[in-house]
Amino acid sequence: MPALREKARIIDQDGIRRALTRIAHEIIERNKGTDNLVLIGIRRRGVPLARRLAGKIKQIEGSQVPVGILDITLYRDDLSSLNHQPVVRQTEVNFSIEGKKVVLVDDVLYTGRTIRAALDAVIDLGRPRSIQLAALIDRGHRELPIRADYVGKNVPTARRELVEVRLSETDGMDEVVIMEKT
Amino acid sequence: MYKHKDLLALKDLSAGEISFLLDTAKPMKEIITRPIKKVPTLRGRTVVNLFYENSTRTRSSFELAAKYLSADSINISSSSSSVAKGESLYDTARTIQSLGADVVVLRHPMAGAPHLLAKTVKAAVINAGDGAHEHPSQALLDLFTVRERRGKIDGLTVVIVGDILHSRVARSDIWGFTKLGAEVRVCGPPTLLPPELEQTGARVFYRPEEALAGADVIIMLRIQKERQRQGLFPGLREYARLYGLNRERLALAAPGALVMHPGPMNRGVEIGHDIADSTVALIEEQVTNGVAVRMALLYLLTGGGAHHEADH
């Protein structure tokens, strides 16, 4: 693994809060309320983001939107290029997604391969009416025809850089930084 | 982490490796409970079930596990293959190699046959029972079932009753439960208890009344009628009277003790009808968990998928 150096802090705690508030408003507006709406967070950091969005939607609309957890390890297309074994975690979607408007939530949108795998995983759980995508950061460099419906911040990056989203639930603090390989 | 090419025996594995296998089986069980039991993980991979002995549970369990993970699976049984024409295991292995198998699941009447196969083929080899040696995937599903019900293995008292001499399940169970911190007691007629048992760390009992005292888990083994021609005990009725699990004996165990059986059961011999039916849920759950454990094995032995956090 090459060493990484922190290049820039692009969003702080307030920035993340504001971005999520805006996304929550956009989700409600586009879906004309919260009827049949469900949020599904992609492990790992999509999960706390989905929970926070559900909290904000509740503040705005007063209704609780169900939140599920998706583990896409078994849906990845890079089985042969392994160099270490991942811990397969559990998918926890304890509600029917049949006919629902599903909003997938992830921290960073990059090549699009995670989302492609997540789409397969969601469709294996049932037949939703629609699937939308919310990402806190869109850093570009797509390898598949996938686009987010809700974006916290567009961050143009070089391929040699990494975008790291840190959340208090998983990392003890809220911030987004760009890391550079040295 | 599981870093071996094959799964041949639980004796060779560390407690950490066994726990990792059980952890991986947990999300697999979630897949089995879905209406659409299918994930694309092993698309394009081939699993060969090579069975030199009859089996319903183990073979269909491995076959379903492969199918749920989208692998292609083929079944070869000795009676319907060139094995019946006298082909050696070595030559059958070379044929399987040429077919491009990624995993070979082998059941064989000779102890050590999977070890020989593992050295011969590039594919991962899973021991699905070799002679009276080991049956690691069965022990893993027993461990998984107990851990799911009790939340732990460490500190439990596990009693295995019956024909330990001929039982590969018992050997794998002894290694697995001991390594994860349980106290293992074995119990049976002296003629059915092999002499080296004490070395495995298990305590040996001849009377079930003593062995069952305070037990948390009771594993009843099948009396293998097909292996009993040498007359190692006088008769099935006497065996049932002295060693069969009935209400009185079950009452000696800890309250709510788990009763397990690897199947197929001889009702009225090693396990009373009323107990077999009252604990049937657990025995059926063992079968379901067997599929989850075997999915985990196929997944890990074909490499698992590398998950890069940065690759979004």
Side-chain angles (χ1 to χ4, degrees), chain A residues 45 73-76 78-79 82-86 88-91 106-108 110-114 124-125 162, chain B residues 1-2 20 27-28 30-31 34 36 38-42 45 299-300 303-307 309-312:
Chain A
R45 290 184 183 77
T73 316
L74 294 172
Y75 287 84
R76 296 192 64 90
D78 52 5
L79 196 68
L82 77 140
N83 47 24
H84 69 286
Q85 282 167 345
V88 189
R89 293 191 177 82
Q90 203 155 337
T91 287
D106 205 359
D107 56 345
V108 181
Y110 179 33
T111 62
R113 287 178 192 272
T114 296
D124 275 357
L125 296 174
L162 282 173
Chain B
M1 263 325 186
Y2 189 81
F20 183 72
M28 300 296 176
E30 184 269 324
I31 293 165
R34 293 182 191 178
I36 304 168
K38 197 102 174 161
V39 289
T41 317
L42 296 190
R45 304 299 176 106
Y299 173 69
L300 291 175
H307 182 55
E309 288 251 324
D311 179 16
H312 292 270

Side-chain angles (χ1 to χ4, degrees), chain B residues 21 24-30 32 61 65 68 144 287-297:
Chain B
L21 290 172
T24 309
K26 219 175 140 194
M28 300 296 176
K29 187 164 178 183
E30 184 269 324
I32 299 174
S61 179
Y68 289 168
F144 184 86
V287 179
T288 307
N289 290 342
V291 180
V293 160
R294 283 156 185 142
M295 286 169 79
L297 289 175

Side-chain angles (χ1 to χ4, degrees), chain B residues 2 4-10 12-13 21 62 114 124-128 135-137 140 297 301:
Chain B
Y2 189 81
H4 305 272
K5 167 182 162 276
D6 313 289
L7 175 72
L8 303 176
L10 287 198
D12 307 334
L13 303 188
L21 290 172
F62 270 110
V125 174
I126 298 177
N127 178 4
H135 191 352
S137 62
L140 287 169
L297 289 175
L301 291 177

